[in-house]
Amino acid sequence: MLFSCHENLEDRAAREVKEHTEKKCPVVIDEFTIMDSITFDRATKTVHSYYSLRGKADTVGVLNDGNARTALLDELKRNTSNKIYKDAGFRFSYTYTSASRKGLVLYQTLLTPKDYQ
């Protein structure tokens, strides 16, 4: 008898973010931005992306002008690779920290289904 092994969506999310972090992170996004890791919180169904900012962007307040949230929301809406997670009502959190001052959070935001649907 053959048994099919099916992973639920939360298991898939946890696996995918772990694999991405282990295989690809840190990854340079542009001259100012490095993606450090991605995590998944099952309890809140939140995919959390962590970035470091360097150079001219490594400044408190540089992303707090309102444009950063709009840009992240636009990208989330356009991105088809996470459609299954958006359809399931997952949340997406973004944290940007200082590359030169470890641990200093420069910007953080949370996008919920109410934002992107």
Side-chain angles (χ1 to χ4, degrees), residues 33-91:
T33 314
I34 299 166
M35 176 182 263
D36 298 313
S37 65
I38 306 174
T39 62
F40 176 64
D41 182 335
R42 289 175 189 271
T44 61
K45 291 173 54 172
T46 302
V47 176
H48 199 132
S49 300
Y50 295 91
Y51 298 88
S52 294
L53 295 178
R54 61 186 180 178
K56 293 178 184 178
D58 188 353
T59 305
V60 173
V62 72
L63 296 177
N64 289 326
D65 62 4
N67 291 331
R69 187 172 182 3
T70 300
L72 289 167
L73 182 56
D74 289 346
E75 174 59 26
L76 181 61
K77 287 179 178 180
R78 279 194 311 270
N79 189 336
T80 58
S81 67
N82 56 23
K83 181 182 183 324
I84 191 170
Y85 301 119
K86 292 186 289 189
D87 289 348
F90 281 36
R91 300 161 15 130

Side-chain angles (χ1 to χ4, degrees), residues 8-32:
N8 65 36
L9 195 54
E10 287 81 7
D11 290 342
R12 177 179 171 180
R15 179 182 51 78
E16 287 182 350
V17 300
K18 181 180 180 193
E19 287 174 358
H20 180 85
T21 296
E22 289 175 352
K23 293 178 182 175
K24 297 183 179 181
C25 290
V27 62
V28 175
I29 305 297
D30 58 36
E31 71 177 295
F32 304 112

